[in-house]
Amino acid sequence: MTSASSLPTGLDLTALRGATLGEVDAVAALQHRTDRKYLIPLHQARAFVRLLADSHHVLDLAGRRTTHYLSTYFDTEHLGSWHAHVQGRRRRWKVRARLYAEDGLCRVEVKTKDGRGATVKHALKVPATAYGELDTQAAAFVDEVLEQAGITVTAKDLIPAAEVRYVRAALADLDHGTRVTLDGALTCHRAGHAAALDPGHVLVETKGGIRPAPADRLLLRLGARPVSLSKYVVGQSLLTPGLPDNDVRRLVRTHFSAPTRTAPLFERTPVA
């Protein structure tokens, strides 16, 4: 079972060599990439990590090998971003503010799709105190990126729509420039309600080129199959009444808890 404190042990991250933030950031500089996602049982994720030990390093921050993430997603009043993803439109986009809780770091990120279906991500570092909002600088950044991608939405059209919280382990193949992330203790929050991923499962994402990486082939060997799953789309699908039924909702109903009352949407996690 995964929780914020048990994920490193559950995945046996000690089996991996550590890497510095600078080393992992050099791999993360690949902002034009293809993401593949797998929702797998914890025991399968542990076996996967063990198989990566010879080729991948894990981000190690003074002995800490996981990080708490809080991501606030921005959308239009009528959930234009959510609908674009569910309907598989070519011009899809996401705008979010992401807080790395223990480190007190925050970024505003804009993700779009290019003509080949690859993800293109742009990021702007902002003060941690600005988490959950788009200030003047962030709004100008969002407008510029969306305009360059041919998307007519602007920052003034956007409101905080949902928050996703999880614990992440970040792995990198330093020789081949590919990355793998493993997310546990995942919860989605909206309007005072929350839904949680089954603690016996982990969301794995591979981030690399158009062709599957060795990590993808290992997952296939373990019996895992890619799924089309966005954390934001999941959160809205489960927590917003009246949205049309969709493949995402049917997929996650077996892995996520039913919505329950919870803490306020933008409750802060203390920064260590």
Side-chain angles (χ1 to χ4, degrees), residues 88-120:
R89 297 178 193 167
R90 186 171 63 86
R91 292 192 181 278
R92 304 201 296 274
W93 55 274
K94 283 182 190 168
V95 176
R96 69 186 177 204
R98 170 168 284 177
L99 178 67
Y100 303 80
E102 291 92 343
D103 306 303
L105 301 176
C106 188
R107 304 198 312 176
V108 171
E109 299 178 345
V110 182
K111 298 172 70 175
T112 59
K113 292 282 188 180
D114 69 7
R116 298 177 297 170
T119 300
V120 183

Side-chain angles (χ1 to χ4, degrees), residues 163-258:
E163 184 182 63
V164 177
R165 307 172 188 175
Y166 53 95
V167 180
R168 168 168 287 184
L171 282 54
D173 183 335
L174 303 182
D175 294 326
H176 296 93
T178 58
R179 292 185 296 144
V180 176
T181 59
L182 300 101
D183 299 336
L186 191 157
T187 57
C188 305
H189 302 256
R190 181 188 177 278
H193 289 79
L197 175 64
D198 166 33
H201 281 76
V202 175
L203 179 61
V204 178
E205 298 184 37
T206 63
K207 307 166 191 292
I210 295 177
R211 293 185 177 181
D216 294 287
R217 293 193 286 274
L218 287 177
L219 285 163
L220 292 174
R221 277 175 46 195
L222 291 169
R225 294 295 180 267
V227 294
S228 178
L229 191 153
S230 155
K231 298 183 186 73
Y232 170 60
V233 171
V234 166
Q236 287 291 8
S237 297
L238 293 174
L239 299 172
T240 302
L243 288 178
D245 204 9
N246 56 78
D247 292 339
V248 171
R249 185 182 295 165
R250 288 190 289 271
L251 171 68
V252 302
R253 272 177 178 158
T254 58
H255 297 301
F256 278 76
S257 64

Side-chain angles (χ1 to χ4, degrees), residues 29-48:
L30 177 65
Q31 299 298 293
H32 189 285
R33 69 193 194 208
T34 298
D35 298 344
R36 296 175 178 86
K37 302 180 182 180
Y38 306 81
L39 192 57
I40 63 176
L42 178 60
H43 70 85
Q44 199 174 65
R46 184 185 179 96
F48 175 56

Side-chain angles (χ1 to χ4, degrees), residues 35-138:
D35 298 344
R36 296 175 178 86
K37 302 180 182 180
Y38 306 81
L39 192 57
I40 63 176
L42 178 60
H43 70 85
Q44 199 174 65
R46 184 185 179 96
F48 175 56
V49 168
R50 191 161 49 244
L51 290 171
L52 293 178
D54 290 336
S55 58
H56 285 65
H57 292 65
V58 61
L59 175 61
D60 187 303
L61 300 168
R64 173 169 53 84
R65 294 194 162 192
T66 58
T67 299
H68 290 71
Y69 281 55
L70 287 80
S71 296
T72 294
Y73 289 83
F74 298 86
D75 208 338
T76 64
E77 180 182 358
H78 300 293
L79 302 182
S81 176
W82 183 89
H83 284 285
H85 280 75
V86 169
Q87 296 169 6
R89 297 178 193 167
R90 186 171 63 86
R91 292 192 181 278
R92 304 201 296 274
W93 55 274
K94 283 182 190 168
V95 176
R96 69 186 177 204
R98 170 168 284 177
L99 178 67
Y100 303 80
E102 291 92 343
D103 306 303
L105 301 176
C106 188
R107 304 198 312 176
V108 171
E109 299 178 345
V110 182
K111 298 172 70 175
T112 59
K113 292 282 188 180
D114 69 7
R116 298 177 297 170
T119 300
V120 183
K121 184 171 74 173
H122 300 266
L124 173 72
K125 186 175 180 180
V126 298
T129 53
Y131 171 70
E133 61 186 44
L134 296 176
D135 61 16
T136 302
Q137 180 188 18

